[in-house]
Amino acid sequence: DTGVSQNPRHKITKRGQNVTFRCDPISEHNRLYWYRQTLGQGPEFLTYFQNEAQLEKSRLLSDRFSAERPKGSFSTLEIQRTEQGDSAMYLCASSLVNLRAVGNTIYFGEGSWLTVV
Amino acid sequence: GQQLNQSPQSMFIQEGEDVSMNCTSSSIFNTWLWYKQDPGEGPVLLIALYKAGELTSNGRLTAQFGITRKDSFLNISASIPSDVGIYFCAGPRSNTGNQFYFGTGTSLTVIP
């Protein structure tokens, strides 16, 4: 399978614990995105990387959230001191942006469900 | 942030019927993407549109990029039970496509 891969698919954690999600993008893609989705809503942008550089962060990304993409390949999203409001599906997506900028199309992984109890 | 308005919010149709849904924005977009999402899964890209007026098909799906660049339509012909799911439109905030805004989704139920 050469699509975007995320793990774990499901995580249940106690409030106050830290959790980390991993994303492996499509191999030749240079951009990687993190989104959050709650029930009944569309995905909301959190942050994105161009290669290893984190270029934009949403105001939704509080100080307890940190994302890295150390070698420009896989990425991790860590949530510290989880709160019940963090319960959501965390989606990773990737895209290949070329110099012609004809159009950007993003491809999503299957998502990682987080439940904070 | 930017909100894309999708309508209808939900649809209940008989198998074999055609479906039409749309998405509108207060801003001009240079790309429209349509996704389908099954419960507990990530969105799957259906159709990408890059040019105003563009009409693109993918099997029984057809999508159009509105000429005002503020709307897009998705049609599904001869619906089947596996078409059930939530359909999202998405568009980038800028020409660089750094951030995509998503609509609120259209939930489709197909009655066999």
Side-chain angles (χ1 to χ4, degrees), chain B residues 61-84:
Chain B
L61 278 61
T62 302
Q64 182 159 28
F65 193 140
I67 57 173
T68 66
R69 296 171 64 190
K70 291 185 177 181
D71 58 6
S72 179
F73 303 87
L74 176 69
N75 296 316
I76 306 173
S77 63
S79 57
I80 60 177
S82 62
D83 291 334
V84 165

Side-chain angles (χ1 to χ4, degrees), chain A residues 18-41:
Chain A
N18 299 344
V19 296
T20 299
F21 299 111
R22 175 179 168 126
C23 172
D24 289 272
I26 294 172
S27 59
E28 66 270 22
H29 283 186
N30 51 9
R31 277 204 186 157
L32 186 147
Y33 306 78
W34 285 100
Y35 281 78
R36 182 174 72 184
Q37 186 178 25
T38 52
L39 283 175
Q41 301 296 318

